[in-house]
Amino acid sequence: MKAIVDCNSFYCSCERVFRPDLEEKPVVVLSNNDGCIISISNEAKNYGIDMAIPYYQAKDIIEQNGISTFSSNYNLYGDLSRRVMDTLKYLVGEENVEVYSVDEAFLDLTHIPVEELHQCAAHIRDVVEQWTGVSVSVGVGKTKVLSKVANRLSKKLRVASKTWVLDTDEATADALQRTHVKDLWGIGRRYALKLMDWNIHTAWELKHMNEEWARANLGGVIGVRMIQELNGKHSIEMRDPLVNKKMIATTRMFGAAVSDLKDIKEAVATYTARAAEKLRRQHSAASLISVFVVPKQQSGSADYRHGGYPRTRYQTLYSPTSLTHELIKPAMALAEKVYKDGERYSKAGVMLSGLVPDTSIQANLFKSAASNQSRWLMNMLDNINFSMRDDIIKYASAGTEKNWKMRQDFISPRYTTRWNELREVK
DNA sequence: TCTGGGGTCCTAGGACCC
DNA sequence: TCTGGGGTCCTAGGACCC
């Protein structure tokens, strides 16, 4: 059996952990740049606020009802996420936990007797809540897709136990009949429309389609796996926890449109440094770097929602590297290439790909000993940045003025990662 | 003018996820 | 006026090889 453990309104819960006065009060958290609403507490949902709508559209409701609003504070969320995941690993064994996203993990519960699953799910829920202060929902089923179905029902129906267990065929059939295909994990808008054209509406109906039909009509092997999972045949593997990312990107919208090459280069240098950190954290080196900018669209343009078309330039590196200064140099050259005088930009980004393990670098005899020295410097830099987080130590090219920086009007303190922002207790 | 039947690698694009 | 920031997997098609 598989379980999915999902933190409830995760970013809101994180804000509440250190603000008990907000318990049972409506809370929302905004995306970077305070653009969209990306987390909503149940109480705020009751006011009709929806996920992913722009902040300005909900501003009136928020102000009229005194809904607490926060800019996203990823230092805090990252730290609490790690605590939740560590708790799950402690409870079921590290090898049985697949961290799926910042607020979700799949668990392999094959070793738990079926008759104990209800109790097990409740235990996980209680311990995580007691140890971290974050409330979680637990869905259990024969496969990942079925555990997702169960989890969704517990959340949607707001069942008091916050758990839903599909431990019998009857329970599974019932859950699938209550679930629309558009709500299945792996069925997006496109496939949902297609299925409805075929007059397939519930997960129960989809379950009874045959695999060859799915192969022909539902994205090939993706469709086949969906049918199998719905039928209780485990087809989506637990991901190897040691698998590293194959591409690393750091990109941001600007707080306000930017037109100076100098500002673009500062932003790109900062993003490159951040991407290089992610790279080193997984012990990889990149062999390809690309830089892109997105020109600001005229307002009123038809395609406004998606911004302008990005313009990308890339460069293959002479040899794979994870060293910030070796990446910043080509990044700066690429920034100059994508830049056009007189154009205004709403966004820029850096992508690192062609990732290889960075042990291969050490084996490279053509690298000077000085690079190994650099690796030590990088380790030190990462450790300092981790504790000081605001990048007190920076490369000169990353600049200091940051007029391209994002807007964060409602940021909460970094309670767990900064000494001077610790919560005070009377 | 005639012109096989594999392979691999890479890239672009579509679909999905949180 | 104001609209995250990441990621993954799969497939098709082109370039190139023997």
Side-chain angles (χ1 to χ4, degrees):
Chain A
M1 296 293 267
K2 302 281 185 285
I4 179 91
V5 179
D6 182 329
C7 301
N8 300 316
S9 312
F10 181 56
Y11 297 164
C12 291
S13 300
C14 291
E15 297 292 347
R16 277 174 168 159
V17 167
F18 297 92
R19 289 285 306 276
D21 56 303
L22 296 177
E23 209 53 49
E24 298 183 12
K25 300 265 170 43
V27 176
V28 297
V29 174
L30 307 180
S31 63
N32 275 341
N33 227 15
D34 294 343
C36 291
I37 293 174
I38 53 171
S39 185
I40 317 168
S41 74
N42 273 337
E43 297 78 10
K45 279 178 199 158
N46 292 339
Y47 288 102
I49 295 179
D50 284 329
M51 192 69 163
I53 60 169
Y55 170 60
Y56 72 91
Q57 281 180 11
K59 203 172 169 205
D60 286 348
I61 304 180
I62 286 172
E63 287 175 356
Q64 282 160 22
N65 297 287
I67 297 175
S68 302
T69 306
F70 294 89
S71 301
S72 28
N73 181 344
Y74 292 107
N75 295 296
L76 176 63
Y77 311 151
D79 190 56
L80 281 171
S81 170
R82 187 182 48 76
R83 294 182 195 201
V84 169
M85 299 310 169
D86 285 350
T87 304
L88 294 175
K89 288 173 186 169
Y90 172 83
L91 287 171
V92 301
E94 181 160 10
E95 68 282 7
N96 293 317
V97 176
E98 176 196 328
V99 176
Y100 178 66
S101 73
V102 68
D103 68 337
E104 275 179 68
F106 285 105
L107 309 182
D108 193 332
L109 299 183
T110 311
H111 57 291
I112 309 282
V114 174
E115 61 276 13
E116 289 174 21
L117 285 171
H118 275 97
Q119 200 190 332
C120 173
H123 182 62
I124 289 168
R125 171 204 65 203
D126 290 342
V127 174
V128 172
E129 237 173 290
Q130 279 167 24
W131 290 10
T132 68
V134 176
S135 96
V136 293
S137 296
V138 184
V140 181
K142 269 190 178 172
T143 62
K144 282 184 168 182
V145 166
L146 291 173
S147 74
K148 278 280 200 177
V149 165
N151 185 264
R152 178 181 162 278
L153 285 174
S154 88
K155 284 193 148 189
K156 184 182 170 227
L157 304 177
R158 297 192 192 181
V159 297
S161 71
K162 289 184 275 194
T163 62
W164 198 288
V165 179
L166 305 180
D167 51 352
T168 62
D169 289 345
E170 293 72 34
T172 306
D174 170 61
L176 291 179
Q177 282 159 12
R178 291 168 181 246
T179 302
H180 195 278
V181 286
K182 73 174 170 28
D183 297 320
L184 282 170
W185 180 61
I187 300 292
R189 222 181 98 256
R190 290 296 174 92
Y191 289 155
L193 286 174
K194 226 171 162 180
L195 285 168
M196 280 146 72
D197 276 347
W198 286 90
N199 209 23
I200 297 166
H201 299 274
T202 65
W204 179 249
E205 288 161 357
L206 182 56
K207 169 191 151 109
H208 291 96
M209 299 305 293
N210 74 53
E211 291 178 16
E212 288 321 304
W213 175 87
R215 191 188 303 282
N217 296 293
L218 213 59
V221 301
I222 292 177
V224 174
R225 286 202 290 240
M226 171 61 69
I227 303 289
Q228 291 176 344
E229 287 262 321
L230 286 172
N231 281 286
K233 180 166 177 254
H234 160 68
S235 306
I236 302 176
E237 295 296 327
M238 293 289 281
R239 202 170 46 200
D240 181 346
L242 298 177
V243 162
N244 283 328
K245 295 200 171 70
K246 294 168 183 170
M247 183 191 85
I248 286 171
T250 304
T251 98
R252 294 283 184 282
M253 301 275 298
F254 298 130
V258 165
S259 52
D260 270 14
L261 177 58
K262 173 174 148 290
D263 290 336
I264 294 287
K265 286 174 77 173
E266 271 186 30
V268 167
T270 303
Y271 301 161
T272 305
R274 177 71 72 214
E277 258 182 62
K278 295 184 194 170
L279 196 60
R280 293 191 293 268
R281 203 173 306 142
Q282 66 168 42
H283 306 289
S284 296
S287 42
L288 185 89
I289 180 167
S290 38
V291 169
F292 71 88
V293 289
V294 179
K296 189 174 172 63
Q297 287 285 90
Q298 303 298 324
S299 60
S301 139
D303 198 28
Y304 186 75
R305 176 82 174 73
H306 295 99
Y309 293 100
R311 190 163 59 245
T312 308
R313 291 289 179 278
Y314 62 89
Q315 187 184 326
T316 305
L317 299 168
Y318 173 68
S319 71
T321 181
S322 64
L323 303 178
T324 303
H325 60 268
E326 289 188 2
L327 290 163
I328 283 192
K329 208 182 295 175
M332 292 298 91
L334 292 168
E336 286 179 20
K337 281 191 189 169
V338 291
Y339 176 82
K340 275 192 194 156
D341 205 16
E343 211 166 29
R344 304 170 71 226
Y345 301 100
S346 59
K347 185 179 184 176
V350 173
M351 276 189 256
L352 303 176
S353 48
L355 306 191
V356 297
D358 75 353
T359 49
S360 62
I361 292 176
Q362 287 161 21
N364 187 342
L365 297 175
F366 301 101
K367 279 266 185 178
S368 67
S371 315
N372 282 334
Q373 198 78 7
S374 296
R375 189 67 179 80
W376 284 48
L377 173 67
M378 288 300 127
N379 277 336
M380 201 176 73
L381 216 65
D382 290 347
N383 289 334
I384 295 171
N385 281 345
F386 183 74
S387 53
M388 308 297 277
R389 217 60 261 189
D390 266 345
D391 300 345
I392 284 170
I393 297 190
K394 272 193 303 273
Y395 283 83
S397 50
T400 48
E401 291 170 34
K402 302 212 175 163
N403 39 6
W404 43 269
K405 213 182 155 191
M406 64 181 168
R407 206 163 55 211
Q408 288 188 313
D409 292 341
F410 315 104
I411 189 81
S412 55
R414 286 150 291 193
Y415 303 107
T416 60
T417 50
R418 302 298 271 279
W419 288 110
N420 58 350
E421 295 178 11
L422 278 178
R423 178 101 180 125
E424 287 173 28
V425 180
K426 286 179 208 131

